Amino acid sequence: MQQNFMVPAQDPLSLDRIRSVLVRLEDTIIFCIIERAQFALNPRIYIRGAFPELKELGFEGSWLEWFLKEIETFHAKARRYTSPDEYPFTKDLPPPLIPALNFPRILHQHPTAKSINMNPSILSFYTRTIVPRITHRATLELAARKRAQGIIGDDEYEDDGNYGSAATIDVELLHAISKRVHYGKFVSESKFQSNPAAFIPHIKTKDRFALEDLITKPAVERALLFRLGKKATVYGADRGYDGEPIRKSPRGIGTAAHPFNPTRALPDKSPVADKEAKALPKTADASPVSVTNSLSDIGSLNGSAMSSGVIEMGEIGEYEWKVAVDDIRYLYENWIIPLTKEVEVEYLLHRLDGLSEDEVEELMKREPRRH
């Protein structure tokens, strides 16, 4: 997802504009998670030195790190990383082949602020925590297929050989997460510009906790997690040809590889189909799925019954899913939100670096403004 910083009529530090960027990034991240979840874990692609073919090229990193290096090398030549919202995972990239755009000065330009880069942490938590979680179902299905072919033990798990496809999606997802996390700099700059005097005393005393309190909005975070839950139920549900979410079979034959829905799998005139169809909730149309729970219910598994094509949070276990709703919330709640907050605080701690006392004093005198 790209942002056009060259449109002078749009304020890049407007909180409304920043929010719109972050909301669109949610869609990108969710769709990438769904794509990655269809492949098994393939842990070999995350192990440095696991591919002798790369060693022959003189590359000692992992398959994923090689993918990142090759893709980011090409993108660097196209000046991608001259944009203020782009951060590569690879060091020592080549310079752009064409002159860089003259971007407006948006963020604080001191080297200590510009050098804040959470990508090493993002890569680590992604490969160690997120990928094993979101590929759990695909890995179990792979193991079942291999056991049916007589492959048992360690050889039955985790590796489906889709190294290129898995790494391609990994790169897209990592870049989206990186952009989302580093957008914390824009959030901090926007809030600092709106009321410098509220931040400067805490910046001078290096009070991380006070700065975090100034930028943290619990209601906004709750709304974010609620919105993610709604999006995940819409995007993550397996659906039939009619657009309706697929229920798990009561007979246990509804799998990700062969999703089963009794009203579609049996002939129209079958008495069994008629009986099972009557047991299912009636829907007036194939309307998009929505979640009707309140903010406080978003994490609850005690929802009400489904009706009119609406998947309640308590009904999640009754349907087939491309990705678990909780996996997406887990990624944001435990990693993306905390890391973004770290970026925001770290950026603020360096916001006065390079400024003279007179410049800081002028900022202190500035009147607070509303966004």
Side-chain angles (χ1 to χ4, degrees), residues 64-72 89-90 123 171 175:
L64 176 58
E65 288 170 329
W66 178 69
F67 253 69
L68 284 165
K69 176 179 178 294
E70 293 296 310
I71 291 173
E72 291 183 343
F89 286 81
T90 307
L123 182 60
V171 171
H175 282 154

Side-chain angles (χ1 to χ4, degrees), residues 237-240 244-250 253-255 258-264 276 279-282 304-311 315-321:
D238 274 333
R239 295 176 181 275
E244 288 296 311
I246 299 173
R247 279 183 178 270
K248 288 183 178 178
S249 167
I253 63 173
T255 66
H258 303 286
F260 174 83
N261 185 303
T263 62
R264 301 185 195 98
E276 291 182 332
L280 293 176
K282 298 297 186 292
S304 58
M306 175 184 170
S307 61
S308 302
V310 175
I311 295 182
E315 300 292 318
I316 284 177
E318 297 183 17
Y319 294 88
E320 298 290 349
W321 296 90

Side-chain angles (χ1 to χ4, degrees), residues 110-124:
H110 193 271
T112 54
K114 293 177 66 175
S115 65
I116 298 169
N117 189 327
M118 298 297 292
N119 281 348
S121 297
I122 292 171
L123 182 60
S124 179

Side-chain angles (χ1 to χ4, degrees), residues 273-334:
D274 289 342
K275 181 179 179 180
E276 291 182 332
K278 290 176 181 177
L280 293 176
K282 298 297 186 292
T283 57
D285 53 43
S287 301
V289 177
S290 62
V291 175
T292 59
N293 297 64
S294 65
L295 287 176
S296 60
D297 294 331
I298 187 66
S300 171
L301 294 180
N302 297 315
S304 58
M306 175 184 170
S307 61
S308 302
V310 175
I311 295 182
E312 300 283 355
M313 295 304 291
E315 300 292 318
I316 284 177
E318 297 183 17
Y319 294 88
E320 298 290 349
W321 296 90
K322 295 186 284 287
V323 64
V325 175
D326 281 348
D327 288 349
I328 294 172
R329 290 193 60 224
Y330 174 86
L331 169 61
Y332 264 81
E333 192 168 16
N334 293 281

Side-chain angles (χ1 to χ4, degrees), residues 23-300:
V23 169
R24 283 184 290 154
L25 277 170
E26 293 167 11
D27 297 341
T28 302
I29 290 170
I30 291 173
F31 281 122
C32 284
I33 289 174
I34 290 172
E35 289 297 305
R36 183 60 182 90
Q38 69 181 307
F39 299 106
L41 175 58
N42 294 314
R44 188 184 177 205
I45 69 176
Y46 307 120
I47 301 172
R48 294 186 177 98
F51 285 82
E53 298 88 347
L54 296 182
K55 288 185 176 181
E56 292 175 3
L57 297 175
F59 188 80
E60 297 296 329
S62 69
W63 178 262
L64 176 58
E65 288 170 329
W66 178 69
F67 253 69
L68 284 165
K69 176 179 178 294
E70 293 296 310
I71 291 173
E72 291 183 343
T73 294
F74 172 75
H75 287 180
K77 293 177 181 179
R79 69 185 181 193
R80 174 177 183 175
Y81 302 109
T82 63
S83 177
D85 62 343
E86 296 283 359
Y87 293 82
F89 286 81
T90 307
K91 296 179 180 179
D92 302 322
L93 291 171
L97 295 178
I98 53 179
L101 292 171
N102 186 23
F103 289 107
R105 179 170 174 170
I106 302 169
L107 301 175
H108 189 47
Q109 297 300 302
H110 193 271
T112 54
K114 293 177 66 175
S115 65
I116 298 169
N117 189 327
M118 298 297 292
N119 281 348
S121 297
I122 292 171
L123 182 60
S124 179
F125 88 73
Y126 176 79
T127 57
R128 296 169 186 266
T129 304
I130 301 305
V131 181
R133 181 166 181 145
I134 64 178
T135 60
H136 178 68
R137 190 175 85 169
T139 298
L140 291 179
E141 291 169 358
L142 173 68
R145 291 196 299 270
K146 286 187 175 181
R147 285 195 297 272
Q149 298 168 7
I151 302 172
I152 59 174
D154 291 341
D155 291 337
E156 74 186 60
Y157 284 105
E158 296 181 333
D159 195 322
D160 61 13
N162 286 298
Y163 306 140
S165 297
T168 298
I169 301 168
D170 284 337
V171 171
E172 293 177 10
L173 185 47
L174 283 166
H175 282 154
I177 293 173
S178 174
K179 179 172 286 190
R180 172 59 175 81
V181 167
H182 290 103
Y183 239 85
K185 293 185 180 183
F186 290 84
V187 174
S188 285
E189 182 65 24
S190 177
K191 293 182 176 181
F192 177 85
Q193 291 286 353
S194 68
N195 190 5
F199 291 89
I200 289 174
H202 304 304
I203 294 174
K204 287 184 172 181
T205 59
K206 304 295 182 184
D207 191 337
R208 290 178 175 270
F209 297 107
L211 291 173
E212 184 173 333
D213 286 341
L214 282 173
I215 61 176
T216 300
K217 305 295 182 186
V220 173
E221 293 180 6
R222 287 195 300 271
L224 163 61
L225 295 175
F226 176 59
R227 185 172 62 245
L228 286 169
K230 292 182 69 174
K231 288 182 176 182
T233 58
V234 174
Y235 304 149
D238 274 333
R239 295 176 181 275
Y241 292 113
D242 59 3
E244 288 296 311
I246 299 173
R247 279 183 178 270
K248 288 183 178 178
S249 167
R251 301 190 183 111
I253 63 173
T255 66
H258 303 286
F260 174 83
N261 185 303
T263 62
R264 301 185 195 98
L266 297 173
D268 292 341
K269 301 300 183 182
S270 165
V272 178
D274 289 342
K275 181 179 179 180
E276 291 182 332
K278 290 176 181 177
L280 293 176
K282 298 297 186 292
T283 57
D285 53 43
S287 301
V289 177
S290 62
V291 175
T292 59
N293 297 64
S294 65
L295 287 176
S296 60
D297 294 331
I298 187 66
S300 171

